[in-house]
Amino acid sequence: MHPLAAAAVGFILTTACAQSQPVNTIPHLQQQGTARQLVVDGKPYLALAGELRNSTTSSQAYMQPIWPRLTAAHLNTVLAAVTWELMEPREGRFDFTAVDHILKDARENNQRVVLLWFGTWKNGKSTYDPVWVKTNQTRFPLIQNEQGRSLGTLSTFSDANRDADSRAFAALMRHLRAVDGSKHTVLMMQVENEVGVLDAPRDFSPAANQAFNGPVPKDLMDYLQAHKNQLMPQVHQAWEAAGFKTSGTWEEVFGRSTVDKNDWQAYSYLTEEIFMAWNYARYVGHVAAAGKAEYNIPMFMNTWIKQEISGWPGAYPSGGPQPHVMDIWHAGAPAIDILCPDCHLTNFTDWCGWYHQSGNPLFVPESAGDAVGAAHALWMVGRHDAIGFSPFGIDGSAGTNTALSRAYEVISQVTPLILEHQGNGTMTAIVLDKGTASETVRLGSYNLEARAGARGGTTAMNPPVALFICTGPDDYVIVARNAGIYFTSATNPSDSVALATVEEGVYAGGKWIPGRRLNGDETPEWKALRFGGDDYTIQHVKLYRYH
Ligand code: DGJ
């Protein structure tokens, strides 16, 4: 570890132990119960974020009118690209102008930042590597397909590629430590963007073929054996079907792929995918570790997730951190703290569940920023203890009276309570985004049911959503929209449950300010809560039982 990184870690440990010292740690992840939280300036942090489009931060002037719109839209965090091509236009000559502009303007607009390192790969391709890399394919070799044709994308099977990227990323992190090590405007780093081989199941360059026909590395075999009972089912089954071998070539250990191009869930080229996942993980893990040695803040990978289209290869890049190869990534890239889905798809809730496994915290760096996205933001922080939510293209969509801005405004009121309850089993959420009429969850000693359409709104574009926080044996804080909330006893089915008191209100500075006391027509059937379809609102309810 770099001596300054060691000093930073030492500082964290010192301040954590010395309670009387002012807390001034660099951003890091910390366990709270079952949740892994992002801690910023000594306190858990919830990123109500948005991702800028790819080219936006390449011009400070272009960004000028956008910054205030982001703040007005109640974002607290912006995901912004930093590109290798602009940062190292000539080898070894670094230009941090674009980064410095982002930091200066973010601070002036009261925003925190997550930087996206567009290095060797962006969406599976190599388009952000500098021209001196692009044009020297002898020194910086490319992926080849089965016919031996170069695919225009840098190969993982090259120390030169990896080391050039690592040097640049380390320089960026060294710079960030110097200019932001005490201010903490930058919270996390995304390393590369949606990696994986496109248009082929794996790299077929001579070096890749040699590795594919050689032994599975001992480090990976050791990891699989140590975690044999916790592996994702697809990898476990492939390994089991091939006889749980502890050594051998990739096809000996994981079997020969059986190709079914028409079944999107068939994991047809699984062995090739495991092979590429390992090689991307090793490469990206090396880049991330080089950066962390300079400035040790959390680092994550985003994923072009598997999609419901046939005709693979081509449906998604092979080797990215998909949930079914999560173990391979954990084994190969320990410096990567979070594996993330870029989730623009309709089955958002399934993907969140698939990524929130094996100790992987949930952060969604790309999603939709419409009313559905806003509902997902609320749902995932409550149901999955998420670190944050970030719709893509926020520079285009941010406004003061959008579904997202209204949701973010209300979530930010409740953020201290949400963060307090993450990981301790006292918070959950429901979103009815698949057309179902209702869903019930148990929280504390009650079952909480969310029913669609308090005002008969359509569920496809305006999904009912509710976040529940249990604040006492009979007490709940509920943030919701477009839903009716019904209660039954989870401990004694013969009990009837009724409303003792219901208040609507707001939080200001973490303090509850009650508004109307709700009863009568505002509490349907005198036993439920009604949340309208226009806005996110907050209600406090106290329940009682009768026989
Ligand atoms: C996924 C990429 O990661 C983003 O950079 C962006 O190009 C979006 N797709 C566009 O939807």
Side-chain angles (χ1 to χ4, degrees), residues 51 54 118 122-123 193-194 302 342 344 366 392:
E51 180 169 328
N54 304 159
F118 287 3
K122 155 84 174 61
N123 301 55
N193 187 88
E194 294 191 351
N302 65 330
D342 284 349
H344 302 266
E366 291 185 33
F392 181 78

Side-chain angles (χ1 to χ4, degrees), residues 456-486:
T458 68
T459 56
M461 294 308 296
N462 189 16
V465 59
L467 172 140
F468 307 100
I469 303 174
C470 183
T471 52
D474 305 298
D475 295 57
Y476 294 87
V477 173
I478 302 173
V479 183
R481 179 174 187 254
N482 197 25
I485 308 296
Y486 292 75

